[in-house]
Amino acid sequence: EAMKTLPFSPQGMAYTWIKTDIQSLGYDPNDLSEYDGTSSVYEPRRMADRVRTRYALSVLNYTFWGGGSTGGVSTDTSDEWSHDNDECNWARLSCGDETEDVSDGIVKILDLEEAEIPEGSVLPGEVAMLNSLRALVLTTTRVGGSIPDVFGPMKELRELDLDDCVFTGFVPSSIGALQNLEELRLNDNILEGPLPDLFWNLNNLRVLELQKNLFTGTISESIWSLESIEDLRVGDNELTGSLSTQIGNLKKLERFWAYTNQLTGRIPTQMGQLTFLRDLSMDDNRLVGTIPKQLAALPLQELWLNLNKLSSSIPTEFGEMLGLENLYLDENVLTGFIPSQLGNLYNCTDVFLNNNKLIGAIPDTLGDMESLQRLRVHANSLSGSVPDSLCRLGLEQLSADCADLPQFGVLVSCPLGCCTECF
């Protein structure tokens, strides 16, 4: 309809261009509907598929860049797409993928990452005509508006990257029909509403990145059904509710980011079943209760539980996490002693335990942490002296309650030149 009534719309201009363009492809420009697809020049490609592909790309070109200097498919001022008879030669397109040595002439990848797309541009629904795409990438562009709900025909899509754009509104339900989808990145946009409950059939999904949006409500139940998921990021939203015990079903999970939300309740002990988990970030929430000792059995490298309301002691089993590189437990209400077993964490560079209710002395075994660079233990109720073994490490940062306060005196004595900050 836009072709007829809005000739100067992107669709209308693309239609005008394609009628001229297809003459070079051996196609009748007056009949776009009944071509049988045979061609001695472009076999094995079906000509009708090529026309549809070139038309859809032309719509994108006119939408984003007004057609470029050629008046047809080019792109921005650098003419990164050229007016070439074979679209497989156009920049940012690929007609093969990493699994194929020989191209079959069908466009499978459209990668516009960091393309100079003018601010205010929208993604036209004609993108769905590229139904052989395996990857659609718009990462770090200025494309915005609503994400069109047109993905149903794109059955071959494996990777959909719309991250770091300015998309608004809701996640389109048609994404739930992409049963071959392996990677979905919608992070760093302005998307809102409840997390969509559309992941039940995405059995191949390995990467789901939804962080840094405005999502509300609880984490949708369908997310806990993603048994192939390896990387799950829902941080920096406005999510509420507690974590489901079904998180233990995500046996392949390697990274879970849920930081900076309003999550409540306890940390499920079932997280101890996530035997591939390396990176766990649940800081800046409202989590309460104990820190499950079951976490110590995981191959964690990053553990961020700071800025919550956790009230247990630090599990002594944490000394068994030999691969741990960063441990952030600060700004909770943790009690008890600092476990001497933490000295076994020889790969750990950061240990933040400040702003809790810890008591007792700082264990001298912490001086065995040969990779340690920053240790923060201030704003607790510790006593005694900073061990010489820690001072010999020459840490970049060592904070303690070593200031001489009128009402308390010195809670933790620190040898001269050892502590970098006294509170």
Side-chain angles (χ1 to χ4, degrees):
E1 187 64 26
M3 301 175 193
K4 299 176 182 178
T5 61
L6 297 173
F8 297 108
S9 67
Q11 291 80 6
M13 290 187 289
Y15 182 70
T16 299
W17 175 79
I18 197 69
K19 290 188 70 173
T20 301
D21 173 67
I22 60 178
Q23 295 183 40
S24 65
L25 305 179
Y27 190 54
D28 181 1
N30 296 312
D31 185 358
L32 303 180
S33 59
E34 297 181 356
Y35 188 68
D36 64 7
T38 60
S39 170
S40 59
V41 179
Y42 294 104
E43 286 291 335
R45 282 181 286 185
R46 293 182 65 250
M47 188 67 73
D49 289 341
R50 294 196 61 215
V51 171
R52 184 184 62 248
T53 295
R54 291 167 76 91
Y55 169 73
L57 292 170
S58 185
V59 172
L60 264 67
N61 181 48
Y62 279 109
T63 299
F64 294 157
W65 301 286
S69 61
T70 67
V73 176
S74 52
T75 67
D76 57 13
T77 54
S78 63
D79 285 337
E80 291 181 353
W81 288 351
S82 62
H83 193 97
D84 190 287
N85 274 355
D86 192 345
E87 59 273 17
C88 290
N89 295 328
W90 296 351
R92 296 183 176 269
L93 301 179
S94 175
C95 291
D97 60 25
E98 65 276 4
T99 65
E100 298 175 341
D101 296 327
V102 180
S103 167
D104 59 6
I106 299 174
V107 175
K108 294 186 175 66
I109 298 174
L110 172 56
D111 187 351
L112 295 176
E113 182 173 359
E114 297 185 349
E116 295 181 4
I117 298 174
E119 188 170 356
S121 299
V122 298
L123 180 62
E126 283 77 10
V127 69
M129 298 176 71
L130 302 172
N131 57 11
S132 294
L133 279 186
R134 296 184 182 177
L136 172 60
V137 181
L138 289 173
T139 300
T140 315
T141 62
R142 298 184 182 93
V143 179
S146 298
I147 302 174
D149 195 4
V150 296
F151 294 98
M154 304 179 74
K155 303 297 186 184
E156 299 299 318
L157 203 61
R158 269 74 163 171
E159 180 180 353
L160 178 57
D161 294 346
L162 306 181
D163 51 310
D164 197 15
C165 297
V166 285
F167 286 113
T168 59
F170 302 96
V171 177
S173 60
S174 57
I175 289 178
L178 303 177
Q179 296 186 17
N180 288 313
L181 197 64
E182 298 176 4
E183 302 178 26
L184 175 59
R185 296 180 177 89
L186 302 176
N187 50 290
D188 292 86
N189 281 290
I190 320 172
L191 300 172
E192 59 183 321
L195 280 185
D197 201 26
L198 51 78
F199 303 105
W200 296 107
N201 296 318
L202 304 187
N203 298 323
N204 295 304
L205 197 64
R206 296 183 296 102
V207 176
L208 177 58
E209 298 184 11
L210 302 173
Q211 76 271 19
K212 295 187 178 180
N213 281 288
L214 301 174
F215 292 123
T216 57
T218 60
I219 299 176
S220 53
E221 287 297 311
S222 63
I223 286 181
W224 307 126
S225 72
L226 297 173
E227 296 184 358
S228 296
I229 200 73
E230 299 171 5
D231 191 344
L232 174 56
R233 309 186 195 188
V234 295
D236 203 353
N237 281 289
E238 299 175 7
L239 300 176
T240 57
S242 59
L243 292 171
S244 172
T245 57
Q246 295 182 65
I247 193 172
N249 296 333
L250 310 184
K251 304 298 186 183
K252 298 182 179 180
L253 193 63
E254 299 178 9
R255 178 182 288 111
F256 180 53
W257 287 1
Y259 63 88
T260 313
N261 281 292
Q262 300 172 32
L263 299 176
T264 56
R266 296 174 176 269
I267 300 173
T269 58
Q270 289 81 0
M271 296 192 78
Q273 302 171 19
L274 307 177
T275 55
F276 291 97
L277 192 64
R278 297 179 293 104
D279 188 347
L280 176 58
S281 175
M282 298 192 297
D283 49 301
D284 195 13
N285 279 287
R286 302 174 184 176
L287 301 174
V288 299
T290 61
I291 300 176
K293 64 181 181 180
Q294 290 86 348
L295 297 181
L298 306 179
L300 286 170
Q301 297 174 356
E302 300 282 340
L303 180 56
W304 297 61
L305 297 177
N306 49 304
L307 289 164
N308 280 290
K309 299 180 180 180
L310 300 170
S311 57
S312 65
S313 59
I314 301 172
T316 58
E317 289 85 357
F318 274 19
E320 302 169 8
M321 296 193 292
L322 302 184
L324 196 65
E325 298 176 2
N326 290 298
L327 175 61
Y328 299 104
L329 302 177
D330 49 299
E331 300 198 47
N332 281 287
V333 284
L334 299 176
T335 58
F337 300 94
I338 298 176
S340 60
Q341 292 86 347
L342 295 185
N344 297 327
L345 306 181
Y346 55 84
N347 283 315
C348 210
T349 60
D350 284 10
V351 176
F352 286 13
L353 305 176
N354 54 285
N355 293 86
N356 280 292
K357 296 184 177 181
L358 301 173
I359 60 174
I362 301 172
D364 59 5
T365 55
L366 299 190
D368 297 332
M369 301 174 67
E370 56 189 36
S371 298
L372 191 63
Q373 298 177 13
R374 287 169 289 275
L375 173 64
R376 296 167 62 93
V377 294
H378 66 273
N380 280 291
S381 297
L382 300 174
S383 57
S385 300
V386 175
D388 290 339
S389 59
L390 264 177
C391 296
R392 287 193 292 269
L393 292 178
L395 301 181
E396 293 180 14
Q397 183 182 45
L398 174 53
S399 67
D401 293 317
C402 48
D404 189 359
L405 301 177
Q407 64 271 42
F408 299 113
V410 177
L411 298 179
V412 177
S413 62
C414 193
L416 183 65
C418 180
C419 292
T420 62
E421 295 177 279
C422 284
F423 290 83

